Amino acid sequence: MRKEVFMSIIFFDIDGTIMDANGDIPSSAILAIRLLRSRGHLCIINTGRPYIDLDPSLFDIGFDGLICTCGQHIIFHDKELLCDGFSPTASAFLMELGRKCRMDMYYESKTGVWLERYDTQRELAPELLLSLSRFVRRGISVTSPQGIPGFHFDKLCISYTQDSLLSEFLTDAAPYCEPIDRGGGMYELPKKGYSKGTGCRFMANALHIPLEDCFAIGDSTNDVSMLECVGHPLVMGTAPRSVQQIAEYVTNALAADGLYHAMWHTGLIS
């Protein structure tokens, strides 16, 4: 028999967990989140995306809070609790380092995104192409940061090839960043000291709910810190084996109602 679970926090990754690559959200996922909230559970998005990259359809579902940019930007019931990013000096250093190491660089803040190409003839990492396609669909332009006085950003993503000086970049960027290998020739680099896991801790502390009573669900390597810090890690069936090994429960794929089944299996919804 499934154990009934009383009020808790559930942290949700977006891509591959709530939403597919085309921006579609299964009706079963929407139903699960609305049932969770109707039972008094707190539903919190926890994503690597910046605030500007959140699809309007996510807000239509209804969430109690948002953790964006790998824990650097936190909002609860429309109140901003935390917002941090790289200083202009650190941003300038990382930009110059990326150029020297032959990286394509994708800069993010809560209000904008920018792209700087080392070689326009080579293809960007698949995840960066997906990010750019989301902005194209919504009519948001992605421009170069060149010439913007005092330019700075909150998070950096790099796309690299065999011609790039990856080891040198990661070594020199280490004092500033928390590198996450996303595979496919891409690294995600939030500010040092931040991750999806720190976002969970911040939110749980603010709401006075023990992390061991919290749930999280995701499907990717940048979800590991989130999954490892809660008492109940749930993982989508399409996740890499290394991520599935962390799980208390591995559910179906998103398209096969995986999110709904995970919430039902845990007793969070009936």
Side-chain angles (χ1 to χ4, degrees), residues 91-130:
S91 297
F93 172 81
L94 291 168
M95 291 169 73
E96 187 55 37
L97 177 63
R99 293 170 190 144
K100 183 179 75 170
C101 293
R102 306 175 198 141
M103 302 292 176
D104 291 326
M105 293 177 287
Y106 180 73
Y107 312 105
E108 302 176 350
S109 80
K110 68 179 182 179
T111 58
V113 292
W114 301 265
L115 179 64
E116 189 171 6
R117 302 295 306 271
Y118 175 77
D119 181 357
T120 57
Q121 299 304 308
R122 69 186 187 187
E123 192 164 282
L124 284 169
E127 286 216 28
L128 289 184
L129 288 171
L130 278 175

Side-chain angles (χ1 to χ4, degrees), residues 244-265:
Q244 291 190 27
Q245 289 173 346
I246 301 168
E248 177 180 87
Y249 175 68
V250 177
T251 187
N252 300 340
L254 174 62
D257 302 325
L259 179 60
Y260 185 95
H261 284 297
M263 298 303 109
W264 184 88
H265 174 86

Side-chain angles (χ1 to χ4, degrees), residues 167-182:
S167 295
E168 180 179 340
F169 179 88
L170 294 176
T171 298
D172 292 350
Y176 301 90
C177 303
E178 296 283 356
I180 305 167
D181 186 355
R182 300 300 303 272

Side-chain angles (χ1 to χ4, degrees), residues 230-243:
V230 299
H232 304 283
L234 313 171
V235 172
M236 306 300 287
T238 49
R241 174 60 60 182
S242 61
V243 180

Side-chain angles (χ1 to χ4, degrees), residues 12-87:
F12 296 87
D13 170 53
I14 295 176
D15 297 297
T17 302
I18 298 174
M19 178 177 286
D20 68 19
N22 296 317
D24 296 323
I25 303 172
S27 58
S28 62
I30 296 171
L31 175 61
I33 293 162
R34 289 178 175 166
L35 285 172
L36 288 166
R37 297 188 74 211
S38 73
R39 297 193 64 183
H41 300 300
L42 298 172
C43 294
I44 309 293
I45 284 177
N46 193 350
T47 181
R49 296 194 199 183
Y51 183 86
I52 193 175
D53 196 8
L54 298 184
D55 296 70
S57 57
L58 292 166
F59 295 104
D60 293 339
I61 299 172
F63 285 91
D64 297 285
L66 309 169
I67 301 171
C68 302
T69 319
C70 290
Q72 293 176 229
H73 188 200
I74 298 179
I75 298 167
F76 184 70
H77 286 171
D78 297 324
K79 181 180 179 181
E80 188 173 78
L81 305 182
L82 174 70
C83 188
D84 195 10
F86 294 103
S87 68

